[in-house]
Amino acid sequence: MDISKQKDLFDIPEEICYLNTASLSPSFRAVEKAGIDAVLQKSRPYLIPSSDFFDPVIELKKRFAKLIELDEYERIATIPSASYGIATVANNIKLNPGDTIVLMQEQFPSNYYSWKKLTDTHQAHLKIVQAPKTRTNRCRLWNEAILDAIDDSTAVVAMGHIHWSSGALFDLKAIRKKTRQHNALLIIDGSQSVGALPFSVKDIQPDALICAGYKWLFGPYGCAYAYYGPYFDNGEPLEENWTNRLDSHKLPDLTQYQDTYKPFANRYVMGESGSFIHVKMQLEALKQVLLWTPEAVQAHCRELSVKAVLELRNLGCYIEDDAYRSHHLFGLELPDSVDLKAFKKALSDQNIFVSFRGAYVRLSCHIFNTERDFQRFITCLKSVLT
């Protein structure tokens, strides 16, 4: 399969330069059709079999499990958002006074607020690992600082596979090794990596992996996935819905109330997890993501952006070292000479879509992008350099 010739899967007009999948992915045509078909099916609910509450969800879990190299699909829960998954994790962790939770500088808010609340509740502490100020070997030094921050006081390390603004790549294998030495949990937010960057539960062995589903997994807004490892096998779900109890598929017997949850992560699924519209769209999305493979997506993004990255650096932009960042998502620190207000207006006028996050202009690409998209961005940037 030539991954570079699949732009026709999408409905993106030629005049649009979309370098913003990290914010919200475009649906490809098959996902759009699946959603429309599901909406029409809901118009005739008598044609929806009771098995549709369960069987498609099982298939969805199997596909996500395959994507992250996990054999036990029942360790996957379908959830409505990354914040729901993180809150579930935090709900099942008890801290001692003086314990620390290690976070990265400027993590996404959904992977901060639950930890702040948890440490405040238990008189514990957040330990925020700052990115080094230097532009030389910044990410390598940041990884070293993360490892140094993990000690006997550490109860949890919660972080992304990459930094959501800069694309800085974290050495999860080394971090996992250090957390094991200190009996700390490792909780990964894969929202900006899984699907576009290879991730293996077998290799990393996190205690939990949480992923928003509407970015690199191409699902509709309002869907997400979670992997929960053995630590959470007997935990408390955020809600008590009928589908997470044993034998819930036996609809005539639902009022034979059941104290026992389904095994593994099934206890953590959200209410209405069989959402007919969302699940059908998610199934179609993961089918295609698996066909592409994260390895091929990452290689494509690296190839189409390599010239642009060199030119951007020559223009005075700072980008993390290539060996310590992702290629589907990376941030630019702009030169001081850029008039930011004029730049944002120029981007808007020319239908170029990117994100401004903290100190970075974040560029994020996928298989529908070409070198021309990056050149349009660079031309626009040149127009406001003084």
Side-chain angles (χ1 to χ4, degrees):
M1 176 179 62
D2 187 346
I3 201 168
S4 66
K5 295 180 179 179
Q6 299 202 41
K7 190 172 183 178
D8 288 345
L9 294 174
F10 297 85
D11 184 21
I12 302 175
E14 284 296 322
E15 68 271 17
I16 298 297
C17 174
Y18 195 74
L19 292 168
N20 205 21
T21 295
S23 179
L24 185 67
S25 66
S27 291
F28 35 88
R29 298 178 194 274
V31 171
E32 178 185 300
K33 183 179 185 302
I36 292 171
D37 289 346
V39 169
L40 295 175
Q41 185 186 33
K42 180 61 169 60
S43 299
R44 297 180 176 179
Y46 45 85
L47 298 179
I48 301 176
S50 59
S51 60
D52 269 16
F53 285 97
F54 303 99
D55 293 348
V57 178
I58 291 172
E59 178 59 29
L60 186 60
K61 292 179 181 182
K62 288 180 177 178
R63 291 184 187 183
F64 185 72
K66 182 177 181 181
L67 183 66
I68 61 172
E69 296 190 354
L70 172 69
D71 294 331
E72 301 169 293
Y73 76 87
E74 288 191 300
R75 291 200 173 279
I76 302 300
T78 51
I79 54 177
S81 63
S83 58
Y84 188 101
I86 295 293
T88 297
V89 170
N91 189 52
N92 287 284
I93 295 175
K94 299 295 184 288
L95 301 177
N96 297 313
D99 282 350
T100 61
I101 295 180
V102 175
L103 306 180
M104 306 307 104
Q105 175 187 353
E106 296 183 351
Q107 272 187 192
F108 191 76
S110 293
N111 201 14
Y112 169 84
Y113 289 124
S114 286
W115 304 120
K116 178 67 166 61
K117 182 177 181 180
L118 186 65
T119 52
D120 287 349
T121 299
H122 294 283
Q123 293 79 54
H125 308 286
L126 290 180
K127 186 184 289 187
I128 309 294
V129 183
Q130 302 291 321
K133 301 293 186 182
T134 178
R135 287 187 167 186
T136 303
N137 297 321
R138 177 188 289 177
C139 192
R140 180 177 64 79
L141 295 173
W142 199 1
N143 272 280
E144 291 176 2
I146 294 166
L147 293 172
D148 289 342
I150 302 169
D151 56 28
D152 286 342
S153 73
T154 306
V156 180
V157 177
M159 60 189 298
H161 189 177
I162 63 174
H163 193 271
W164 70 293
S165 298
S166 69
L169 184 63
F170 298 116
D171 187 352
L172 296 185
K173 285 188 178 181
I175 293 166
R176 171 77 283 188
K177 181 178 179 181
K178 188 73 180 288
T179 58
R180 287 200 186 283
Q181 291 171 359
H182 295 279
N183 297 313
L185 298 173
L186 177 62
I187 312 300
I188 301 299
D189 181 356
S191 298
Q192 292 292 11
S193 54
V194 171
L197 185 69
F199 184 93
S200 171
V201 168
K202 290 181 180 178
D203 286 348
I204 306 301
Q205 298 181 12
D207 294 289
L209 169 70
I210 314 297
C211 296
Y214 63 92
K215 300 174 184 289
W216 306 98
L217 300 174
F218 288 87
Y221 193 70
C223 71
Y225 305 87
Y227 157 79
Y228 296 108
Y231 178 89
F232 297 98
D233 282 354
N234 298 302
E236 292 291 327
L238 291 182
E239 55 176 294
E240 302 295 341
N241 69 76
W242 65 277
T243 59
N244 63 10
R245 298 288 176 151
L246 200 63
D247 295 330
S248 58
H249 63 287
K250 299 177 181 178
L251 300 187
D253 299 332
L254 287 181
T255 53
Q256 302 298 314
Y257 301 125
Q258 174 63 260
D259 291 334
T260 305
Y261 293 108
K262 291 177 180 176
F264 303 122
N266 291 294
R267 66 180 58 215
Y268 299 120
V269 299
M270 65 181 182
E272 301 184 15
S273 61
S275 171
F276 310 110
I277 298 171
H278 274 182
V279 170
K280 284 181 171 58
M281 296 175 75
Q282 289 173 265
L283 281 169
E284 197 63 44
L286 288 191
K287 175 183 175 182
Q288 185 61 61
V289 170
L290 286 166
L291 285 173
W292 286 329
T293 76
E295 291 82 1
V297 170
Q298 193 67 196
H300 172 79
C301 293
R302 181 187 299 110
E303 182 178 351
L304 71 89
S305 64
V306 62
K307 292 179 183 178
V309 167
L310 178 61
E311 189 169 357
L312 287 165
R313 284 174 172 150
N314 288 337
L315 290 173
C317 297
Y318 173 76
I319 302 170
E320 296 284 358
D321 292 346
D322 292 348
Y324 289 94
R325 67 172 177 88
S326 59
H327 297 273
H328 66 290
L329 179 164
F330 56 93
L332 316 176
E333 290 183 17
L334 296 172
D336 293 336
S337 58
V338 173
D339 182 330
L340 199 57
K341 184 176 179 180
F343 185 34
K344 288 181 178 180
K345 184 178 186 305
L347 289 168
S348 177
D349 290 345
Q350 297 174 41
N351 291 318
I352 300 170
F353 296 86
V354 299
S355 288
F356 289 80
R357 297 291 186 267
Y360 295 95
V361 180
R362 186 182 66 190
L363 306 182
S364 51
C365 57
H366 210 273
I367 69 160
F368 53 83
N369 291 113
T370 65
E371 289 185 1
R372 179 174 174 270
D373 291 321
F374 282 102
Q375 286 307 311
R376 286 181 61 181
F377 174 83
I378 290 170
T379 300
C380 184
L381 175 60
K382 287 180 177 178
S383 73
V384 298
L385 285 173
T386 59

